[in-house]
Amino acid sequence: MKQPYGRFIDNSFLQTALACYALFWAVLAIHPVDRSDWFLENLLVFATASVLIPTYRKFQLSNLSYALILLFLALHAIGAHYTYAKVPIGFWLRDFLHLHRNHFDRLIHFAFGFLLVYPMRELFQRSAGAHETWAVWLAVAALAALSSFFEILEGIIAQVVRPDLGAAYLGTQGDIWDAQKDMTAAFLGAILTALLLTVRQHARR
Amino acid sequence: MSQQNKFIGALAALCAVIWVLAAIHPVDRQAWTLENLLLVLFVFALSLTHQRLHLSNASYIFIALFVILHTIGAHYTYAKMPVGLWAKDFLGFSRNHADRVAHFGFGFLLAFPVRELLLRVSGIRRGWSFWLPPAIILAISGFFEILESIVAETVAPGKGVEWLGGQGDEWDAQNDMLSALLGSLTMMAAVLLTNGKRKAR
């Protein structure tokens, strides 16, 4: 496959974006509210890095895709620092809008779908060979599946690995339908981006 | 009438007979109605699109098996399915696991037609065709759990997972989705092993 974006050493946009993220991540790694929870949340970051770094030479996404992924990971870093349930801006939102819980986690679930459909679509179109429209909706399905898979993992971690940490890690904040609402947020985010991409597709023709 | 249309007609007739039998005196009429809403929509959508989908006979057999499985489950509202109750007593389970089997069956039986459809119309390469069907199955399974939670809050507000669908399992949604995912992965492994030597399309 041809390399449309060249080597990492020549890609100053990606270097800058990565440096900004690394700095942001490092600052938030200092004295998180709960170190074990921070570590659990960061497994996601390590997993993402272990996929994207080794595949960079063989298959590169566009700079916009990498920027969206880094933006999502930056938002996640805030959540991980404060164990989500204690993110200050979520408390502020709760008081301002008279909500009954800190909704920062829902916001990040939404962002997961909203920000990551674009890179996923690019992967499906360029690597899997899917037609344009199919790539968009397969990306929605893939993000929905990942969101569901994440809830399954959360369930397993809460039940098996760290039952003592379960509630804090889960951040269900006492909501029995937490998993369903999280998935709904991710689904809606993904569908919104898919609709925007569809509008753009039609505008181009 | 083509050879395949006859075959699909026979499968549809078989499903219809079983469906009518199961529709007579179900254990719980309200639950039966709820369980059948999506099934009727699914079969209706299939009847409208099947001329364009060009699925194979094998796909239709898997779809028919799933329809039959769900029809029987809906008759007994899953929680009271005799074979599940027997397994519960015999193996000492805490609940009737018939619904988990049906979730597994959903993934196992429908991953095959989904893969076939993707290979025919979406343009994806063969290597990807083993991963995208489980993703679609899991996405639909997640969507189903969202619908289920909305139905539970509407039909039995405040009772949460104690209502029929959950049978008191706090992690019911996660376990259901896991079953569907494992079912679809099992089918994909079976397809990979049985036609692994065939050339890529």
Side-chain angles (χ1 to χ4, degrees):
Chain A
M1 175 160 289
K2 88 180 184 23
Q3 295 217 350
Y5 306 103
R7 295 176 304 163
F8 180 70
I9 201 158
D10 301 325
N11 191 336
S12 55
F13 174 85
L14 195 51
Q15 289 166 11
T16 313
L18 200 57
C20 288
Y21 170 73
L23 185 69
F24 191 66
W25 181 86
V27 170
L28 289 170
I30 302 165
H31 296 307
V33 171
D34 178 334
R35 179 61 75 183
S36 331
D37 183 65
W38 174 89
F39 184 75
L40 266 178
E41 299 282 4
N42 270 284
L43 289 178
L44 178 72
V45 181
F46 305 143
T48 311
S50 67
V51 171
L52 291 182
I53 294 171
T55 54
Y56 183 79
R57 295 186 75 142
K58 268 206 301 198
F59 181 83
Q60 288 174 26
L61 292 167
S62 62
N63 278 341
L64 178 56
S65 284
Y66 283 123
L68 290 169
I69 294 169
L70 286 172
L71 180 59
F72 169 72
L73 289 179
L75 291 171
H76 180 63
I78 301 174
H81 179 85
Y82 292 107
T83 71
Y84 276 105
K86 292 171 190 159
V87 175
I89 194 166
F91 283 133
W92 175 83
L93 259 180
R94 184 189 67 180
D95 298 339
F96 190 72
L97 297 171
H98 304 291
L99 307 169
H100 59 94
R101 74 196 275 288
N102 188 329
H103 275 299
F104 188 80
D105 60 335
R106 293 279 148 72
L107 229 52
I108 301 308
H109 280 277
F110 181 86
F112 175 76
F114 185 72
L115 297 173
L116 300 186
V117 159
Y118 186 88
M120 196 61 97
R121 174 209 60 94
E122 195 186 350
L123 176 71
F124 287 167
Q125 210 171 339
R126 285 180 42 219
S127 173
H131 306 313
E132 201 175 5
T133 308
W134 274 95
V136 171
W137 294 101
L138 283 173
V140 172
L143 266 304
L146 283 174
S147 177
S148 307
F149 187 68
F150 179 75
E151 296 300 326
I152 295 173
L153 281 186
E154 264 195 349
I156 292 170
I157 288 170
Q159 287 173 92
V160 183
V161 185
R162 290 291 302 271
D164 54 321
L165 200 61
Y169 172 69
L170 268 175
T172 60
Q173 301 178 53
D175 187 346
I176 52 161
W177 303 118
D178 184 69
Q180 283 86 342
K181 287 175 183 168
D182 287 351
M183 292 191 294
T184 305
F187 285 28
L188 289 178
I191 290 169
L192 183 57
T193 302
L195 291 176
L196 292 174
L197 286 170
T198 307
V199 168
R200 193 185 68 158
Q201 248 177 53
H202 284 285
R204 270 191 188 157
R205 285 192 189 131
Chain B
M1 209 182 195
S2 76
Q3 200 66 18
Q4 203 201 6
N5 278 345
K6 273 186 202 164
F7 181 78
I8 297 170
L11 274 180
L14 175 69
C15 290
V17 169
I18 295 172
W19 190 83
V20 169
L21 288 176
I24 303 168
H25 297 308
V27 171
D28 178 337
R29 181 62 74 182
Q30 188 195 36
W32 176 87
T33 310
L34 285 172
E35 298 280 9
N36 272 286
L37 277 177
L38 286 177
L39 186 73
V40 169
L41 278 178
F42 171 65
V43 172
F44 182 66
L46 201 61
S47 68
L48 286 183
T49 52
H50 90 274
Q51 295 288 3
R52 288 195 301 155
L53 295 182
H54 301 293
L55 293 174
S56 66
N57 284 346
S59 278
Y60 281 112
I61 292 175
F62 285 129
I63 292 171
L65 282 175
F66 172 69
V67 169
I68 293 169
L69 179 69
H70 184 60
T71 300
I72 298 172
H75 177 83
Y76 292 109
T77 73
Y78 281 110
K80 289 172 189 152
M81 210 157 154
V83 77
L85 290 176
W86 173 83
K88 179 183 161 184
D89 294 337
F90 192 75
L91 299 168
F93 294 142
S94 60
R95 71 197 278 288
N96 185 336
H97 279 303
D99 61 333
R100 293 281 147 70
V101 175
H103 279 277
F104 184 89
F106 169 78
F108 183 75
L109 297 168
L110 297 189
F112 188 92
V114 167
R115 174 172 181 270
E116 199 172 271
L117 183 68
L118 286 182
L119 280 173
R120 281 183 191 186
V121 297
S122 77
I124 58 162
R125 285 185 246 287
R126 187 172 176 275
W128 280 89
S129 77
F130 295 102
W131 297 104
L132 291 176
I136 291 176
I137 291 290
L138 185 54
I140 297 173
S141 190
F143 182 67
F144 176 80
E145 292 303 324
I146 293 171
L147 282 185
E148 200 179 47
S149 71
I150 295 170
V151 170
E153 273 306 302
T154 313
V155 177
K159 281 171 86 180
V161 289
E162 294 307 320
W163 183 65
L164 218 49
Q167 294 183 60
D169 183 353
E170 187 187 357
W171 304 105
D172 182 68
Q174 283 87 342
N175 291 333
D176 285 352
M177 293 190 295
L178 184 59
S179 300
L181 177 63
L182 292 177
S184 63
L185 289 174
T186 309
M187 176 54 87
M188 289 299 102
V191 172
L192 188 63
L193 291 175
T194 49
N195 73 2
K197 290 188 199 86
R198 208 175 287 172
K199 266 305 226 186
R201 294 169 60 97

